[in-house]
Amino acid sequence: MINLQPYQNPQYFAILVIALVPLMIGLYYGKRFRWYESLISLLFIFLIFDADKWQQGVSLLGFVACQTLIVGAYSYYRTNKRFKNRFSLFVLAIVLAIAQLVIVKFTPLFIAGHDSILGFLGISYLTFKTVGMIMEIRDGAIKEFNLSKFLHFLLYFPTISSGPIDRYRRFIKDYERVPSQDKYVTLIGKGLHNIFLGFLYKFIFGYLFGTVMLPQLQQAAMANRHTAWLGLSFSLLGYMYCYSMYLFFDFAGYSLFAVGISYLMGIETPVNFNKPFISHNLKDFWNRWHMTLSFWFRDYIYMRFVFWAMKHKILKSRIAMANIGYLLLFLLMGVWHGETWYYIVYGLFHALVLISTDAWLRFKKKHRQQIPSNRWTNYFAIFMTFNTVCFSFLIFSGMLDKIWFS
């Protein structure tokens, strides 16, 4: 049976190109065939959840129905002046919106070796979309709920499985208009560039690091785990760098495909990666790595928590409050990746390094005349950040768990 999971093989891209041709012709001549966009979205979603994945497809349908009711009901409540603005109902809407994701994430923790029947490919990213909408409806940024636009936003197939995570207002702004012919030609050029770069990243570099090199380095690290510490150190170091490169090229390649296809469809989906390995510190890194996810957590969790805590005067110190926000943010991010200890440690490690980074930046600002800043210090900062990130990815990989506990 042909694997038609998103962006995995030539057959998927061949079907995708054929399906996009009528849409691209329409956009070139100034028309957006919205009914056709909906049709091909449903087609590719069907291809994802066809055959042995039919149960995931059923779970997706249930999820979409529930989220539509939750977001639609909350929007009606917020825009109807007869109702009072109750924080408890906002919290209830958020809890209901994340309920299916929470069940899916924690089922393996309580029922070992079993995944929840409510899970499906992309549930996290779709949940983030709806939670973001609920928060923006509460803020008044989203004024009305439109069923067809909501469904198109939620089920937009290029990004459905692993992002990038778009925002409703930005997406609808592109969806409601047709780019000029000159702009669309530019979008086609950018889209094709991203797609071919994605092929280079995912199918060449990703294959080289992930399929050719990584298994050998993992085998060497496991072979040395009880014998020579020096041998283990070198093999583990090689595994750390190789895994980091594989993680970047595989995920960045996928994101480039999603963004490139979106451009061909006249939707300027935000990019997910911006040269993350030249970051000068960890804060800079999270402004470059998996950007739509990191910005989502920043805007909808970190900033709102800090604002709420300061409003209620939980702590007097803004620095202490920001540090607690970091701990909360990255603990949640770690748990979101999984319930195992190394995901949680990965999140806490990033939080502690970010707290240290903020302290260093404050110290550096205060003593900027005494601390040198030149090309070499910039290179050193990039080198230190790169190695810090790679070490965090080693924790994330679970390799230390295999070495210590196998």
Side-chain angles (χ1 to χ4, degrees):
M1 183 176 293
I2 297 175
N3 176 16
L4 289 176
Q5 296 305 293
Y7 316 122
Q8 295 295 322
N9 54 51
Q11 292 92 337
Y12 181 88
F13 285 96
I15 297 173
L16 183 59
V17 168
I18 294 171
L20 288 181
V21 168
L23 180 63
M24 293 176 65
I25 293 174
L27 287 169
Y28 182 78
Y29 287 105
K31 295 183 178 180
R32 182 182 290 279
F33 303 134
R34 292 183 176 86
W35 65 269
Y36 185 75
E37 288 187 40
S38 300
L39 181 64
I40 61 174
S41 285
L42 291 174
L43 169 64
F44 280 91
I45 291 170
F46 174 79
L47 293 175
I48 293 172
F49 299 110
D50 191 17
D52 60 330
K53 296 185 182 295
W54 67 267
Q55 194 174 59
Q56 290 191 35
V58 173
S59 297
L60 171 63
L61 291 175
F63 175 88
V64 171
C66 290
Q67 299 295 331
T68 302
L69 288 173
I70 294 165
V71 178
Y74 187 71
S75 177
Y76 176 78
Y77 155 74
R78 283 290 291 131
T79 54
N80 195 315
K81 296 181 179 180
R82 293 180 300 171
F83 299 112
K84 292 183 179 180
N85 180 15
R86 297 186 182 276
F87 182 72
S88 58
L89 291 179
F90 165 69
V91 173
L92 177 62
I94 295 294
V95 170
L96 292 175
I98 66 173
Q100 187 167 333
L101 176 61
V102 171
I103 292 171
V104 169
K105 288 292 183 179
F106 284 96
T107 293
L109 185 63
F110 295 102
I111 307 176
H114 291 81
D115 294 326
S116 172
I117 60 173
L118 299 178
F120 59 87
L121 183 67
I123 184 173
S124 293
Y125 297 96
L126 268 60
T127 302
F128 293 153
K129 284 184 174 183
T130 55
V131 169
M133 283 191 67
I134 292 171
M135 291 185 175
E136 293 192 358
I137 289 171
R138 173 177 169 78
D139 295 342
I142 297 176
K143 304 295 184 182
E144 62 179 2
F145 176 79
N146 183 291
L147 178 60
S148 63
K149 292 177 182 178
F150 171 76
L151 292 176
H152 197 89
F153 167 68
L154 192 63
L155 298 175
Y156 183 60
F157 81 91
T159 63
I160 192 170
S161 59
S162 295
I165 306 168
D166 210 343
R167 308 287 176 94
Y168 178 78
R169 287 181 296 153
R170 199 224 61 79
F171 176 86
I172 294 302
K173 186 178 179 181
D174 281 357
Y175 178 67
E176 289 182 333
R177 67 184 180 185
V178 178
S180 66
Q181 194 170 85
D182 289 341
K183 183 174 181 179
Y184 184 59
V185 170
T186 302
L187 285 178
I188 291 175
K190 291 180 178 179
L192 292 176
H193 171 80
N194 284 334
I195 291 169
F196 283 112
L197 188 60
F199 274 107
L200 176 66
Y201 276 21
K202 185 172 179 63
F203 295 121
I204 297 180
F205 290 142
Y207 175 82
L208 176 65
F209 286 110
T211 303
V212 177
M213 298 173 60
L214 196 62
Q216 299 179 17
L217 291 167
Q218 180 177 351
Q219 185 177 7
M222 292 298 292
N224 291 325
R225 69 187 187 280
H226 296 311
T227 54
W229 277 104
L230 186 62
L232 174 62
S233 299
F234 278 111
S235 56
L236 198 59
L237 199 64
Y239 177 89
M240 179 182 79
Y241 290 126
C242 186
Y243 179 80
S244 299
M245 294 300 101
Y246 163 69
L247 194 65
F248 168 69
F249 284 116
D250 184 74
F251 197 9
Y254 174 93
S255 296
L256 284 166
F257 288 142
V259 171
I261 296 302
S262 295
Y263 284 180
L264 298 184
M265 296 176 68
I267 302 292
E268 295 185 68
T269 294
V271 297
N272 233 1
F273 295 87
N274 180 24
K275 302 176 182 178
F277 291 137
I278 63 169
S279 304
H280 288 77
N281 55 60
L282 201 62
K283 182 174 285 189
D284 185 27
F285 172 80
W286 280 109
N287 286 328
R288 295 169 176 270
W289 176 275
H290 204 347
M291 293 154 59
T292 58
L293 177 68
S294 63
F295 294 164
W296 191 95
F297 272 93
R298 179 198 66 191
D299 295 343
Y300 294 125
I301 296 179
Y302 176 80
M303 296 298 295
R304 290 171 185 267
F305 168 78
V306 171
F307 177 78
W308 173 85
M310 291 178 62
K311 181 180 178 181
H312 291 83
K313 299 179 180 179
I314 304 299
L315 289 175
K316 293 182 179 180
S317 171
R318 291 190 176 187
I319 293 174
M321 192 56 63
N323 292 342
I324 293 174
Y326 282 140
L327 289 169
L328 172 65
L329 174 67
F330 282 94
L331 179 61
L332 285 174
M333 191 177 287
V335 171
W336 169 67
H337 280 103
E339 304 78 34
T340 52
W341 70 266
Y342 45 86
Y343 290 134
I344 296 172
V345 171
Y346 164 83
L348 292 176
F349 176 81
H350 274 269
L352 293 174
V353 175
L354 275 171
I355 291 171
S356 302
T357 299
D358 271 358
W360 164 249
L361 292 176
R362 289 193 301 271
F363 179 84
K364 185 178 179 181
K365 184 178 180 180
K366 186 176 180 180
H367 300 86
R368 56 180 175 269
Q369 294 181 348
Q370 290 81 23
I371 298 175
S373 179
N374 52 51
R375 180 176 61 179
W376 301 108
T377 59
N378 288 336
Y379 289 157
F380 180 72
I382 293 172
F383 173 80
M384 292 298 295
T385 304
F386 173 74
N387 282 277
T388 300
V389 168
C390 288
F391 178 72
S392 75
F393 287 157
L394 175 63
I395 299 172
F396 180 86
S397 72
M399 188 62 184
L400 296 178
D401 182 70
K402 294 176 182 178
I403 290 174
W404 290 343
F405 300 113
S406 63

